Amino acid sequence: MLQNERVHNEVIIKRLPENNRDSDAVNEICSTVQALVKPFSLHRLGKLQPGRPCLLKATFSSSFDARAFMAKIDETKKTGTQPMVQNISCRPGHTREERALYKKRSPSVYKLNQQSGPDQSYSLRKDGKIWRFVRMDSGAWKRDTSWVDPPTSTAANQDADPDTNTQNQNSTAANASPDAGNEGNGLRA
């Protein structure tokens, strides 16, 4: 349990050029984005490949500090004024189980996105759930809360195609009513 909590104190930084001064580079990023928190530990992950920097794991004293750091990075990237920050990408640390679930569900999301039109998109969330987004008339994207993520075991067995979900095929007259509450049964509203 302690390890699972500790992993949420980590931020994985991608595309930060490798040199022997990772600490100086991260301190410079913190100054650039005006982050009040700094990591107490830095560690490169993976094998060295030419032309591709290894991931950098930055460990903070709390998950709040890690999220605050990522928020400052995102905020600065939106302004587009700092080229050093524009090149990097950050994501929160994940447990082994979260990484396995992501790896398992990622092909299903890819397939859903390939089958969908230009006005809808599917996103794999950190908790392993799939969300569907639709483009509004204004051009903004909004989550479609009426769409229900297929169960993980069924999604893996049937490539996450909600139209072939066995629960959809076996639905009874109780679910045929629009007021019957389709939540959690794999049906789209």
Side-chain angles (χ1 to χ4, degrees), residues 171-184:
S171 63
T172 61
N175 288 333
S177 166
D179 301 326
N182 293 332
E183 213 168 293

Side-chain angles (χ1 to χ4, degrees), residues 9-64:
N9 299 352
E10 299 169 350
V11 173
I12 308 302
I13 303 172
K14 301 178 218 173
R15 295 188 298 274
L16 183 66
E18 288 193 47
N19 56 35
N20 294 333
R21 300 181 8 231
D22 287 336
S23 180
D24 293 339
V26 171
N27 285 335
E28 185 179 340
I29 290 172
C30 289
S31 297
T32 301
V33 301
Q34 299 174 352
L36 300 176
V37 296
K38 293 184 180 171
F40 66 84
S41 172
L42 297 172
H43 180 75
R44 287 284 178 174
L45 305 173
K47 295 178 184 177
L48 183 61
Q49 296 177 354
R52 183 175 177 181
C54 292
L55 301 174
L56 180 67
K57 178 174 71 172
T59 306
F60 292 84
S61 58
S62 70
S63 61
F64 180 82

Side-chain angles (χ1 to χ4, degrees), residues 14 23 25 34 49 57 60 69 79 92-93 110 112 114 125 127 132 145 149 151 167 169-170 182 185:
K14 301 178 218 173
S23 180
Q34 299 174 352
Q49 296 177 354
K57 178 174 71 172
F60 292 84
F69 175 79
T79 63
Y110 178 79
L112 286 169
Q114 294 300 311
R125 312 311 289 179
D127 60 1
R132 181 168 77 175
T145 55
D149 179 12
Q167 285 183 312
Q169 296 168 355
N170 297 331
N182 293 332
N185 66 4

Side-chain angles (χ1 to χ4, degrees), residues 49-152:
Q49 296 177 354
R52 183 175 177 181
C54 292
L55 301 174
L56 180 67
K57 178 174 71 172
T59 306
F60 292 84
S61 58
S62 70
S63 61
F64 180 82
D65 290 348
R67 288 192 317 266
F69 175 79
M70 288 188 297
K72 285 292 193 178
I73 294 286
D74 288 342
E75 182 182 313
T76 306
K77 286 179 87 164
K78 287 178 184 176
T79 63
T81 58
Q82 301 296 331
M84 178 183 195
V85 177
Q86 295 300 321
N87 297 332
I88 65 170
S89 176
C90 294
R91 70 164 174 83
H94 298 298
T95 63
R96 191 169 287 190
E97 294 81 19
E98 289 170 336
R99 288 192 311 264
L101 182 60
Y102 188 89
K103 187 175 182 179
K104 179 180 177 182
R105 303 235 36 213
S106 187
S108 300
V109 173
Y110 178 79
K111 183 177 179 183
L112 286 169
N113 278 318
Q114 294 300 311
Q115 295 171 349
S116 67
D119 291 333
Q120 61 179 299
S121 177
Y122 295 86
S123 174
L124 181 57
R125 312 311 289 179
K126 182 180 176 186
D127 60 1
K129 293 184 179 171
I130 300 172
W131 287 4
R132 181 168 77 175
F133 291 87
V134 293
R135 190 186 314 253
M136 306 305 289
D137 292 335
S138 65
W141 289 90
K142 182 178 180 185
R143 180 179 174 206
D144 180 3
T145 55
S146 65
W147 185 80
V148 179
D149 179 12
T152 305

